[in-house]
Amino acid sequence: LATDTMSIQKNCGNDNICVPNLMVQASHSDAFVYGGEDKIEISADIINNGEDAFNAMLYLQLPKEINYMSAESTTSGLSVLCEPPSMMNNRTLQCNVGNPLPANTQATVKINLQPAESTPADEEEPLYEYVFYLAANSSNPEHSENQADNQKFLHIPLSVTSEWKVTGKSEPATLEYNVSQLLPDKYIE
């Protein structure tokens, strides 16, 4: 019986134990104009300031008013594989962003979303913003003092715009009004 060991080359320092230091950041342009735009684009950055992070994942929990459309990496040489949100995973988009996500690198994921069709029950309570929860982790444990920046809430305020035009016809065509006289009853309702 013969045994031997084989080491996989990884950037884990002299102790051969990888300790990443992940951080998640996200951005969106200003308020979402409801009725004007048809999609929401979130740019999520996963930054590894530590050693290699194996099975690095990005999680984005969607509010019930939002549907997932697509996700893609904007970082050259990095492919992103995402599992769409469902009721079984608490409406959470799960994206694999690197195995490994190398030390001292950043991965950027562009996520396209769309407002869901509203139901009469949804319209009973006014909605002022969309709130998203983002988190990043890997299969390597991080130092506890570095974990606070692995998660973030992203608040996107809602704005409603409308364009409308009123046209009509006056009956009678001309109406004269004397401020010193009382209005006739037929004009007061």
Side-chain angles (χ1 to χ4, degrees):
L1 181 69
T3 61
D4 200 357
T5 60
M6 180 173 69
S7 294
I8 298 172
Q9 186 175 353
K10 47 190 176 175
N11 287 327
C12 295
N14 294 334
D15 60 1
N16 208 26
I17 299 172
C18 283
V19 181
N21 180 4
L22 298 177
M23 178 172 65
V24 67
Q25 296 177 339
S27 61
H28 173 271
S29 59
D30 300 330
F32 177 74
V33 180
Y34 200 79
E37 301 173 35
D38 54 344
K39 73 175 186 175
I40 298 170
E41 185 178 293
I42 294 175
S43 179
D45 298 319
I46 303 90
I47 303 159
N48 182 8
N49 293 317
E51 298 171 328
D52 287 357
F54 289 87
N55 294 318
M57 298 289 291
L58 168 70
Y59 300 95
L60 175 65
Q61 188 174 31
L62 304 180
K64 67 180 168 93
E65 300 87 7
I66 297 293
N67 290 330
Y68 168 73
M69 292 173 55
S70 65
E72 63 183 337
S73 171
T74 59
T75 306
S76 65
L78 177 72
S79 63
V80 172
L81 181 61
C82 295
E83 181 181 323
S86 68
M87 295 309 287
M88 299 297 286
N89 65 12
N90 199 23
R91 297 191 46 76
T92 303
L93 177 67
Q94 302 173 9
C95 296
N96 185 324
V97 293
N99 192 18
L101 179 61
N104 301 309
T105 60
Q106 173 177 321
T108 301
V109 180
K110 183 174 73 172
I111 303 164
N112 295 305
L113 308 166
Q114 186 174 34
E117 293 291 323
S118 60
T119 63
D122 294 334
E123 295 173 3
E124 289 179 11
E125 200 169 306
L127 185 63
Y128 300 102
E129 65 181 357
Y130 293 132
V131 180
F132 300 88
Y133 173 73
L134 291 101
N137 74 5
S138 73
S139 58
N140 313 63
E142 275 190 62
H143 293 299
S144 58
E145 64 270 10
N146 294 334
Q147 292 181 354
D149 59 4
N150 288 19
Q151 53 192 347
K152 175 184 182 69
F153 282 96
L154 178 64
H155 298 262
I156 299 177
L158 296 178
S159 172
V160 177
T161 61
S162 63
E163 291 182 26
W164 57 291
K165 182 177 170 182
V166 177
T167 60
K169 181 179 173 186
S170 172
E171 288 293 330
T174 305
L175 178 65
E176 294 181 15
Y177 175 65
N178 185 343
V179 181
S180 62
Q181 290 182 341
L182 293 176
L183 283 176
D185 288 340
K186 69 178 188 177
Y187 296 119
I188 300 174
E189 292 184 315

